[in-house]
Amino acid sequence: MAKKTTKKTTKRKPRVKEVAAAAPPAGLEPTAAPIAMGDVLGQSRAMAVLEDAMRTDRVHHAWVFHGPVGVGKFTAALAFAAALLDPSTAADLSGRFAPDPESPVQRLLASGTHPDLVVVKKELAVVSRDDRVRAGKQMTIAKEVLAEFLIEPAAKTRAVAGDSLAGKVFIVDEAELMAREGQNALLKTLEEPPPGTVVILVTSNEDRLLPTIRSRAQRVAFTPIGRAAMDAWLGGHDEFSAIDPSEREWLVAFADGSPGMFERAREAGFFAWHQTLEPKLNAVDAGRYVSDLGPTMHALVEERAQAVVKATPNASKDAANRAAAAQLFRLIGERYRRRLAEAVVGPVDADEPPMPLRAIDAVQQAQGMLDRNVSLQFVAESLSVSLASRG
């Protein structure tokens, strides 16, 4: 447990030892500045769990933030870390916990140079001390990355002294990418945490964490945010106002309560995917076989994967293909889920389920084939044939 012995009920002058800011590792994007816990949109239940923990003055040393992609788990982890690391954090008149935004700790965090907050992600491989890790493809969070950037630093004394709820916070983003040997190596740190250390595992696939990892952590569930919260988030980004209204509404529907998914879909041009695929899928729905549907899906995924690899040093082409294919399958699957909601009235006939349900099953089978390392080109052709046979 990370424990603080002095009960905090009012703001007070923090005792903080100033340290020189550390520059972020070369070749990596800096971590975004944290927002206040009260500003995390649409996750009031999850944030209440975290505030309740802070209110007791005892914060568990290990957490799993789990839920769909892009709903605010990482944003919440940063906000929680910012509050834990700052001696000025206290409850305001409304009972919400927040640090002094002008404190020395918040200035370090805003610049991305706080030495006691470490975000561990697969991209750290490019700055690893291990030549083999630096040269490797970024498909997983390597055991060596966990050792170098979490396990070893956790055992060292905090750099910024102060009377805070935590001395060091480590956030593992996409924690499901930790290989089994890396998760096993992390177990000792979770079982016998150094005093004042907090580890937050952020994952959209909790089942890929070992049971021994999950059993040693407090779990906090994050869910898709509501339309009001989504609109508030969109309103806070001026760059979205220039999006064509039809594209914006499509992106909102596709994101399904996930701001992160909205951003990914917009940046990747998924609305253009939709415009390309929709006429072909309409023809399939009408019972026609579309010979170029498979090649078109394959080309869209390949184009997206190549763009990712070009923009990211040492990125894995295979991993980029899988990620792009997963987005394609989500796009097609969501299309047929909407069709299903419109088509089904009353119980579903198990012997002859409606076409949208059979199409969703075909998409799930395609994802399973890709997970078994079947070639993307074959998967795309197979899905094309399956969708046509379910028309």
Side-chain angles (χ1 to χ4, degrees), residues 73 111 117 166 173 181 250 263 271-272 288 300 304 315 345 347 349 357 385:
K73 304 182 298 297
S111 65
L117 172 62
D173 195 23
E181 58 270 23
W250 184 89
E263 287 194 295
F271 183 64
R288 299 195 297 274
L300 290 173
R304 175 58 185 162
V345 178
D349 184 347
L357 192 58
V385 171

Side-chain angles (χ1 to χ4, degrees), residues 331-388:
L331 185 155
I332 296 173
E334 288 300 321
R335 176 187 188 274
Y336 282 107
R337 287 185 184 92
R338 289 194 293 273
R339 293 283 196 278
L340 183 64
E342 297 165 358
V344 175
V345 178
V348 174
D349 184 347
D351 293 328
E352 186 58 34
M355 181 274 292
L357 192 58
R358 287 177 278 143
I360 292 169
D361 180 61
V363 172
Q364 291 173 339
Q365 289 180 30
Q367 180 65 63
M369 292 170 67
L370 197 67
D371 291 342
R372 294 192 298 274
N373 296 318
V374 177
S375 77
L376 175 61
Q377 185 171 5
F378 182 85
V379 172
E381 287 288 358
S382 177
L383 176 58
S384 174
V385 171
S386 296
L387 289 174

Side-chain angles (χ1 to χ4, degrees), residues 33-41 47 51 75-76 78-80 82-83 96-99 101 106:
I35 63 175
M37 291 177 66
D39 293 336
V40 176
L41 290 172
M47 302 315 291
E51 290 190 336
T75 298
L78 278 180
F80 189 39
R96 304 302 300 268
F97 279 83
Q106 295 307 307

Side-chain angles (χ1 to χ4, degrees), residues 11 36-40 43-44 47-48 51 54-55 89-99:
K11 297 274 186 182
M37 291 177 66
D39 293 336
V40 176
Q43 301 294 348
S44 57
M47 302 315 291
E51 290 190 336
M54 296 175 68
R55 195 167 286 113
T89 298
D92 59 21
L93 294 177
S94 69
R96 304 302 300 268
F97 279 83

